[in-house]
Amino acid sequence: MKRVSLVALAFAACFAAQSADAQTLKTVKDRGLLSCGVSQGLPGFSSPDDKGNWTGLDVDLCRAVAAAVFDDPTKVKFVPLSAKDRFTALQSGEIDVLSRNTTWTLSRDTSLGVNFVGVSYYDGQGFLVKKALKVNSALELNSASICVQTGTTNEQNVADYFKGNNMKYEVIAFANADEAIKAYESGRCDVFTSDVSQLYAMRLKLTTPPDHVVLPEVISKEPLGPLVRHGDDQWFDIVKWTLFAMINAEELGITQSNVTEQAKSDKPELKRVFGTDGNLGEQLGLTKDWVARIIKATGNYGESFERNVGAGSKLEIARGLNKPWNKGGIMYAPPIR
């Protein structure tokens, strides 16, 4: 009896701890809005128009979470954050999820009280230079002055690259990307460095974008992804599987235009995905039709990519590594089963 009592007490304590931790979903529902941390304006990833409407790959992730929770992708408050302030906003509870072109590293994963839910974009750091410099390779940048944004992984990557190739350099750091790109355009530095995706986005802000070129070298691994706070496994699972649902949907051929028809399928895999067989959505704390809600709102991952940063956008970035694993890329999500 004593042993049974101890087991019962341990189970009750465990359940109480889980209940105490699983508060974010309730908080979001009670508030009626998802609070999503984004950039201060990075075309293709998170950027507002002149009416304050946000679009981008990172924005779509938050809209997808809102669709899964509320069946309404508009129930999101977007909070623009600098690279320096983004983690503090998440840690303090000001935002529920950070979806802001953020690199997943060991130090960030272990020292900031946050969890990366997955990779939403495989990137790498590169260099933007003026064509007039007639530079064809980053190895020709010896003694260059380099504009960089503080609070990012870019400074260390530059140091590693230049020291590793026995080249001299000067770093000129700025608080945000807009200040850095303006300084580069005005001639305060020879080079602007950032993730390659950001280089393409920031080049659009220059007076004459065609006069500038992204060099071919990619000097680092920059797996970008959304983050949540430590301590709430249920919320971690919801955001994680929202991303995975978008990735899986592309692999399965589920699109924004055919999702209603696909939901009627008798295929076992699709029946699990759409909740007509089993209760996987309810295990997350959502409804059975959670995947359908997401895809109706944002489309699958490939649709979001093409619309925001790919061929259908001004950035025209090739899919590259961000193609599905079965089409030559490394974008891969665990199965919904």
Side-chain angles (χ1 to χ4, degrees), residues 281-320:
E282 292 173 341
Q283 290 176 23
L284 287 169
L286 303 173
T287 58
K288 288 187 175 183
D289 65 341
W290 65 289
V291 174
R293 289 182 173 192
I294 290 168
I295 306 307
K296 286 177 183 178
T298 65
N300 63 42
Y301 176 82
E303 290 178 292
S304 179
F305 185 102
E306 295 302 330
R307 178 172 65 245
N308 292 300
V309 300
S313 74
K314 292 181 179 179
L315 274 67
E316 298 182 334
I317 298 175
R319 285 291 296 268

Side-chain angles (χ1 to χ4, degrees), residues 144-177:
S145 55
I146 303 172
C147 284
V148 65
Q149 181 183 3
T150 58
T152 68
T153 57
N154 299 150
E155 290 179 271
Q156 181 179 337
N157 292 337
V158 166
D160 290 348
Y161 182 77
F162 276 78
K163 289 177 182 178
N165 287 287
N166 296 313
M167 296 191 300
K168 296 179 181 179
Y169 70 103
E170 177 191 6
V171 163
I172 305 175
F174 297 89
N176 58 60

Side-chain angles (χ1 to χ4, degrees), residues 228-292:
V228 296
R229 282 183 298 281
H230 275 171
D232 190 335
D233 287 348
Q234 182 192 37
W235 187 245
F236 175 58
D237 287 342
I238 287 172
V239 180
K240 173 173 58 179
W241 281 98
T242 295
L243 173 62
F244 289 166
M246 294 176 69
I247 296 170
N248 274 306
E250 180 179 14
E251 181 183 333
L252 294 170
I254 304 168
T255 68
Q256 199 168 24
S257 61
N258 73 14
V259 60
T260 301
E261 190 62 31
Q262 290 276 54
K264 301 174 184 176
S265 173
D266 287 328
K267 292 182 179 179
E269 188 171 21
L270 292 182
K271 291 181 72 172
R272 287 192 295 270
V273 166
F274 289 114
T276 55
D277 181 18
N279 63 340
L280 297 177
E282 292 173 341
Q283 290 176 23
L284 287 169
L286 303 173
T287 58
K288 288 187 175 183
D289 65 341
W290 65 289
V291 174

